[in-house]
Amino acid sequence: MQLKPGSRIYVAGHRGLVGAAVVRALERAGYHNRLLRTHAELDLTEQSAVRAMFERERPEVVILAAARVGGIHANSTQPATFIRDNLLIQDNVIDAAHRSGVAKFVFLGSSCIYPKLAPQPIREDSLLTGPLEPTNEWYAVAKIAGLKMCQAYRRQYGFNAISLMPTNLYGPGDNFDLQNSHVLPALIRRFHEAKERRDPAISIWGTGTPRREFLHVDDMADAVVFLLRHYDDEGIVNVGWGEDVTIRELAELVRKVCGFQGDLGFDASKPDGTPRKLLDTTRLTGLGWRPKITLEAGVKGTYEWFKEHRADARL
Ligand SMILES: NC(=O)c1ccc[n+]([C@@H]2O[C@H](COP(=O)([O-])OP(=O)(O)OC[C@H]3O[C@@H](n4cnc5c(N)ncnc54)[C@H](OP(=O)(O)O)[C@@H]3O)[C@@H](O)[C@H]2O)c1
């Protein structure tokens, strides 16, 4: 699609980790005509309010970065909330965007849409080839419905919707709540607080051997802007760093960045989860995009952000 500098772009979920990074990336790329609504101003689970907003404001482009997001604990204790909110948000926003004549739509899924035992690195054609990871299947089923809805609206109505599947993201604005956060922000907070208390050691769940992939959210947002401009197809696109690290390597890196002097131990009696989760990014690199922010630089920047924003961060 030909994106014009003045195109009106609605970023849904602009206060979240991804949405805020997308707003920064649009700003850097010279797209200043943005439409933003907070959750309090517009609840995306409310169909009539969403339709009315689209009819009134008529955005040309939509990036859907609003979703009910959470870790294993939140997913397993509130399965109904996760499946309901995500189905409603995407159903309302995709349909209203189509009805009001939106020219380009970006849907964000997640690597958890793929089968638990998908061959590694995970290619886009692994979708729906096997059972999902049970701990977050509610969320994953909703996301699969979302990407299928985009494909169905493209086929039936010619609606230009694309779907991106990001790996684990991290960066400024992350969620550092230990109950609900992902491994990387949780490690930053734990090492920082252990350093402050001068704890002699930190113990991490599992053996440290599982491998995980991490992508800085500013790289993710850069990929969103790139694909907004250069990709108009129904096939889903993985967005990742392309390489993974062990949890031990990640923990050593975070320890170094935070300057924690104590020991690092692993509690092998606790579960490890999937041994490896890495996305195959051949489709994306084939289109000409590559990430730039190394894990070390990204962790340093995120740690600086965490220290500066402790009062207003999600803790
Ligand atoms: N973070 C990752 O590692 C990761 C990885 C893969 C994919 N993704 C995808 O990226 C997208 C954004 O994730 P994120 O990490 O940026 O999540 P996030 O930080 O929790 O942001 C989500 C945003 O959506 C808003 N929102 C939630 N329910 C809403 C509703 N009913 N109406 C209006 N706004 C609502 C939230 O507002 P409130 O906070 O006010 O509720 C928040 O601003 C999701 O689709 C997710 O699947 C994220």
Side-chain angles (χ1 to χ4, degrees), residues 196-214:
E196 281 184 330
R197 287 190 304 262
R198 296 173 193 269
D199 289 353
I202 270 194
S203 175
I204 293 172
W205 272 36
T207 60
T209 56
R211 304 187 69 85
R212 295 288 182 271
E213 181 188 21
F214 300 94

Side-chain angles (χ1 to χ4, degrees), residues 10 12-20 37-40 42-46 64-70 85-86 89 107-112 139 143 164-170 173-175 182 217 220 314:
Y10 171 40
H14 71 282
R15 285 185 166 176
L17 173 67
V18 177
R37 291 286 182 277
T38 64
H39 189 164
L42 178 64
D43 181 348
L44 296 171
T45 65
E46 294 293 332
L64 179 52
R68 171 73 69 164
V69 178
D85 282 11
N86 286 306
I89 290 171
F107 177 73
L108 298 181
S110 156
S111 57
C112 70
Y139 181 75
K143 288 290 182 185
L164 318 185
M165 303 302 132
T167 188
N168 299 306
L169 304 173
Y170 71 96
D174 217 327
N175 183 353
H182 297 124
V217 73
M220 173 63 207
R314 289 183 279 178

Side-chain angles (χ1 to χ4, degrees), residues 249-305:
E249 287 165 341
L250 175 71
E252 290 287 2
L253 172 63
V254 178
R255 169 163 75 162
K256 188 177 95 179
V257 168
C258 296
F260 176 66
Q261 304 287 339
D263 290 334
L264 170 59
F266 290 88
D267 180 357
S269 70
K270 296 288 196 303
D272 261 345
T274 313
R276 190 174 192 206
K277 216 171 162 197
L278 174 66
L279 291 181
D280 181 311
T281 52
T282 315
R283 183 171 286 173
L284 179 57
T285 51
L287 291 165
W289 185 87
R290 279 193 165 64
K292 298 183 192 69
I293 305 170
T294 63
L295 190 56
E296 178 153 3
V299 168
K300 278 185 185 155
T302 307
Y303 182 48
E304 291 308 315
W305 187 92

Side-chain angles (χ1 to χ4, degrees), residues 25-276:
L26 290 170
E27 189 65 36
R28 282 195 300 275
Y31 300 105
H32 306 299
N33 189 1
R34 292 183 300 267
L35 173 63
L36 307 172
R37 291 286 182 277
T38 64
H39 189 164
E41 288 164 348
L42 178 64
D43 181 348
L44 296 171
T45 65
E46 294 293 332
Q47 186 185 55
S48 54
V50 174
R51 279 194 188 172
M53 193 283 281
F54 273 85
E55 284 307 316
R56 201 171 48 244
E57 303 292 344
R58 300 255 163 201
E60 293 165 64
V61 174
V62 176
I63 298 159
L64 179 52
R68 171 73 69 164
V69 178
I72 294 176
H73 178 76
N75 264 275
S76 52
T77 52
Q78 304 161 50
T81 310
F82 272 81
I83 196 160
R84 172 195 182 271
D85 282 11
N86 286 306
L87 285 173
L88 284 176
I89 290 171
Q90 64 207 29
D91 178 49
N92 290 341
V93 179
I94 294 168
D95 190 62
H98 154 63
R99 284 167 185 265
S100 70
V102 163
K104 182 81 179 258
F105 190 98
V106 180
F107 177 73
L108 298 181
S110 156
S111 57
C112 70
I113 59 151
Y114 292 116
K116 184 180 163 72
L117 300 175
Q120 305 286 324
I122 310 174
R123 289 160 38 128
E124 287 89 349
D125 59 11
S126 291
L127 180 66
L128 294 174
T129 55
L132 299 165
E133 160 65 47
T135 48
N136 56 16
E137 65 180 342
W138 323 101
Y139 181 75
V141 164
K143 288 290 182 185
I144 293 170
L147 73 89
K148 285 290 168 196
M149 193 161 164
C150 289
Q151 292 175 343
Y153 273 56
R154 176 181 288 280
R155 287 194 190 180
Q156 190 172 336
Y157 305 122
F159 183 52
N160 191 1
I162 62 170
S163 297
L164 318 185
M165 303 302 132
T167 188
N168 299 306
L169 304 173
Y170 71 96
D174 217 327
N175 183 353
F176 294 87
D177 170 355
L178 294 179
Q179 273 283 327
N180 235 330
S181 64
H182 297 124
V183 57
L184 198 155
L187 284 175
I188 289 181
R189 180 169 170 194
R190 286 194 60 203
F191 276 114
H192 179 74
E193 292 180 352
K195 182 175 87 170
E196 281 184 330
R197 287 190 304 262
R198 296 173 193 269
D199 289 353
I202 270 194
S203 175
I204 293 172
W205 272 36
T207 60
T209 56
R211 304 187 69 85
R212 295 288 182 271
E213 181 188 21
F214 300 94
L215 182 73
H216 194 279
V217 73
D218 285 336
D219 270 336
M220 173 63 207
D222 192 53
V224 168
V225 175
F226 176 85
L227 293 165
L228 197 53
R229 283 168 165 162
H230 301 293
Y231 187 72
D232 292 302
D233 236 317
E234 83 163 37
I236 61 177
V237 182
N238 288 342
V239 185
W241 177 255
E243 287 170 30
D244 51 7
V245 292
T246 65
I247 294 298
R248 178 185 290 274
E249 287 165 341
L250 175 71
E252 290 287 2
L253 172 63
V254 178
R255 169 163 75 162
K256 188 177 95 179
V257 168
C258 296
F260 176 66
Q261 304 287 339
D263 290 334
L264 170 59
F266 290 88
D267 180 357
S269 70
K270 296 288 196 303
D272 261 345
T274 313
R276 190 174 192 206

